Amino acid sequence: MFKKTVLLSASLFFLCSCSLGQPERLKISLTTWIGYTPIFYAKEKGWLEPLNIKIVSVSSLSENMYLYQAGNSDAYAGTQYEYELLVRNDPSLMPIMMLDRSNGGDVIMGNRSIEQLKNSEETLDAYLEMDSINIVLMQDFIRKYALENKTINYINKDQAYISTLEVKDMKRETLIATYTPYNCDLKRHGFKELASTNESLDLLVVDALFATEEVFNTHHKQFLGLKKLVNDALLVLKNDPDAFYMTVKPHMLGMDKEAFFNSLNDIVWINNEISVELRERMEEMGFPIRDLI
């Protein structure tokens, strides 16, 4: 009965959309972050076609930002870090739809314990995507555990490369800033989780869909439609998680079902409701939420 209801809802929406004529193409870029899987689900089910929305998938946060800057996407899914950089050049950029809050999905991993790092005088290798939220997490970790006096060698690599690293190949103490699902490979390769965003809102990472005011106005109905489809996809995830997983599996970098469901514990969906505490924290860091769909 549930499946029939969702399909009927989607079908009625598509029929209404088609009757109004095909809208202008809307290109949205995003990475394989688990918090974006409702959009991937909608894509795989063909729900985005009547809305004329095209999804462009990339492997790294920085690549996604550069793709958007080059004009190869109209909107992008990302974190507050990319927003803070891009809004400097275009003040009309704004978050239009919240997706999730990291609840352990962004992590610092390493080949030594925190105590070993504190007591060592060795140079430390830090792997991360420099032009991404990774740098914020790494800097917060270094401050929190008083590692500022260490000599740190920052190594800028994308997550596809970082996920291939193995503890046995590391010649020095190593820290890694990463996120789900890449942390699963790193865990298999011997790295241990040292800290994550699940500890408090002090280490905050939120994901949203961003666009300029002009793009939002031009594609307003498509964004409204996408919002509805994200909600429909999350309803499927709640009621038929196995079917949801099988649909988005091609985008999950080989993540098996158990790892996928464990990773869902690393995020909190905030597409429909934002807690008072989170709202206050986002306002505190200058993240606008007044125009959200």
Side-chain angles (χ1 to χ4, degrees):
M1 183 65 180
F2 160 74
K3 292 182 180 178
K4 290 181 180 178
T5 302
V6 172
L7 289 173
L8 179 59
S9 173
S11 298
L12 289 173
F13 181 78
F14 293 163
L15 287 173
C16 292
S17 299
C18 292
S19 67
L20 297 175
Q22 186 78 329
E24 182 181 338
R25 171 66 62 90
L26 172 62
K27 291 172 66 175
I28 299 174
S29 58
L30 64 169
T31 66
T32 52
W33 169 244
I34 196 165
Y36 306 150
T37 51
I39 299 177
F40 284 125
Y41 182 88
K43 174 183 182 295
E44 291 300 317
K45 299 302 287 187
W47 293 357
L48 301 182
E49 294 172 11
L51 292 174
N52 203 15
I53 295 177
K54 176 182 174 66
I55 298 300
V56 181
S57 179
V58 296
S59 63
S60 74
L61 296 164
S62 53
E63 182 185 358
N64 195 24
M65 183 169 65
Y66 298 144
L67 188 78
Y68 175 79
Q69 283 181 306
N72 293 317
S73 64
D74 305 303
Y76 72 95
T79 71
Q80 72 268 27
Y81 174 82
E82 294 85 29
Y83 166 74
E84 289 170 3
L85 289 181
L86 294 172
V87 77
R88 297 173 190 171
N89 295 324
D90 190 342
S92 74
L93 184 69
M94 59 185 185
I96 58 176
M97 183 194 315
M98 299 306 301
L99 294 167
D100 65 272
R101 173 179 71 80
S102 178
N103 185 38
D106 290 89
V107 301
I108 299 293
M109 305 186 76
N111 63 344
R112 301 285 192 277
S113 70
I114 292 173
E115 283 305 311
Q116 287 174 319
L117 293 174
K118 285 183 176 181
N119 296 327
S120 171
E121 296 182 358
E122 291 183 25
T123 296
L124 172 65
D125 285 339
Y127 287 85
L128 69 163
E129 291 180 47
M130 292 290 289
D131 293 330
S132 77
I133 195 71
N134 286 176
I135 188 64
V136 176
L137 287 173
M138 186 66 75
Q139 290 171 343
D140 285 347
F141 177 84
I142 289 168
R143 280 193 297 270
K144 181 170 183 177
Y145 294 103
L147 302 175
E148 294 98 331
N149 294 329
K150 289 186 67 69
T151 301
I152 300 176
N153 176 36
Y154 289 95
I155 302 171
N156 185 25
K157 296 291 183 180
D158 66 30
Q159 292 296 333
Y161 174 89
I162 291 173
S163 66
T164 67
L165 298 176
E166 300 195 29
V167 165
K168 63 182 178 64
D169 298 326
M170 299 296 102
K171 303 188 186 306
R172 293 198 287 211
E173 295 176 345
T174 303
L175 287 178
I176 297 172
T178 188
Y179 52 90
T180 303
Y182 298 100
N183 61 320
C184 297
D185 284 336
L186 289 165
K187 194 175 293 184
R188 285 194 293 269
H189 297 167
F191 291 95
K192 304 297 183 184
E193 182 176 311
L194 302 179
S196 76
T197 48
N198 70 355
E199 295 172 0
S200 71
L201 291 180
D202 292 334
L203 294 178
L204 179 65
V205 177
V206 293
D207 287 278
L209 190 64
F210 298 89
T212 63
E213 185 176 358
E214 180 182 359
V215 169
F216 177 68
N217 290 333
T218 300
H219 299 277
H220 185 252
K221 290 183 179 179
Q222 287 157 287
F223 285 124
L224 287 176
L226 179 62
K227 169 78 171 183
K228 180 187 180 304
L229 295 181
V230 165
N231 292 343
D232 285 349
L234 286 174
L235 196 58
V236 176
L237 175 59
K238 178 182 178 181
N239 291 280
D240 196 350
D242 288 343
F244 184 94
Y245 166 74
M246 291 306 298
T247 302
V248 302
K249 184 180 178 181
H251 300 278
M252 289 292 98
L253 304 174
M255 182 187 288
D256 62 30
K257 187 186 295 186
E258 181 180 3
F260 176 78
F261 290 129
N262 286 337
S263 295
L264 287 173
N265 296 322
D266 295 336
I267 62 173
V268 175
W269 300 109
I270 56 173
N271 57 302
N272 280 329
E273 185 175 348
I274 303 175
S275 69
V276 173
E277 294 80 10
L278 178 56
R279 186 178 293 271
E280 290 175 350
R281 181 71 176 87
M282 288 195 292
E283 290 176 346
E284 177 187 309
M285 67 183 187
F287 190 86
I289 55 177
R290 62 185 180 278
D291 295 318
L292 292 172
I293 295 177

